Amino acid sequence: MFSKACEYGIKASIFIAVNSSENRRVSPKEISEEIDSPQAFTAKILQALVRNNIVKSVRGAYGGFEIDKDKIATIKLSQIVFAIDGDNIYKGCGLGLHTCDENHPCPVHDKFKVVREELREMLENTTLEQLALDIKSGVSFLKI
């Protein structure tokens, strides 16, 4: 459902949030290793997250990526998805058809519309803080 870049962007944001909550900046190398993403690809994803004010890049010997602690609670998953994939996830056809709408629906159009709306609701109501806390408490994991 999400592009590979978006999956990596979500994982990277969660990893950065967990570390930022402990006053730690993380390097691009640490991030790419944690999310199992190639370093160059991770760097492009991180640039998009920085451009969209989701993460902050700090240069220098003690630099790395971080998220302001007070922002972690306000960043929604939908912001991360939009930063990487735009709003395509809310528009596309469930079967990938180029022409699919109310007047010319594909076989799964009506059912997929419901799924898409539930997805939008989940993305808009889930914060980075919620996901980071689940990682920190061991309820969920980024890596097996």
Side-chain angles (χ1 to χ4, degrees), residues 14 18 126-142:
I14 296 168
V18 167
T126 304
T127 67
L128 207 45
E129 180 181 56
Q130 292 167 303
L131 302 174
L133 287 173
D134 284 349
I135 297 289
K136 286 174 76 169
S137 68
V139 171
S140 60
F141 305 89
L142 282 177

Side-chain angles (χ1 to χ4, degrees), residues 64-84:
F65 291 89
E66 66 182 10
I67 301 172
D68 291 332
K69 276 187 176 184
D70 57 326
K71 265 184 86 174
I72 294 172
T74 64
I75 295 172
K76 306 282 188 199
L77 214 44
S78 59
Q79 293 170 265
I80 299 165
V81 171
F82 186 79
I84 307 293

